[in-house]
Amino acid sequence: MHRGSSKGAREARAPETLPLSALPLLSVEVEVARGAAGAVRTVEVAPGTTVRELLRSLGRSPEGCAVLEGDRPLPSDTPLQHACRLTVVPTFSGG
């Protein structure tokens, strides 16, 4: 006798594929400020990705960075809703 079967207790599962109305990815330019020079790279993220998640995907510590959009600081729990250019300023050294 199979212990795990329960024929009448099935739940509907969500499909594994994305719906056709899935939102397109956002293009975010990220500049990591380093002294006199900065490295810029473009990252594609899903709408609603937080600044914290973006930093972690770049291998950065959210607790050790300040993030600016223009001259406005962004808290790490801010969801990204549009294409933008962000400046990441490391606030502590690794040594």
Side-chain angles (χ1 to χ4, degrees):
M1 185 166 147
H2 182 38
R3 291 176 168 248
S5 69
S6 55
K7 293 181 181 179
R10 290 191 175 175
E11 294 182 26
R13 292 180 56 176
E16 298 292 325
T17 59
L18 294 174
L20 293 177
S21 62
L23 296 173
L25 296 178
L26 302 174
S27 181
V28 178
E29 287 185 7
V30 180
E31 176 182 4
V32 178
R34 293 185 181 178
V40 179
R41 72 189 264 196
T42 302
V43 181
E44 301 288 324
V45 298
T49 299
T50 64
V51 171
R52 176 182 290 113
E53 293 168 330
L54 174 67
L55 288 172
R56 287 189 177 142
S57 74
L58 296 171
R60 297 275 170 192
S61 169
E63 296 78 19
C65 296
V67 179
L68 306 169
E69 183 177 14
D71 60 352
R72 183 176 63 105
L74 293 180
S76 60
D77 61 348
T78 302
L80 300 170
Q81 300 296 338
H82 56 85
C84 57
R85 182 180 174 109
L86 303 177
T87 303
V88 177
V89 182
T91 57
F92 66 84
S93 66

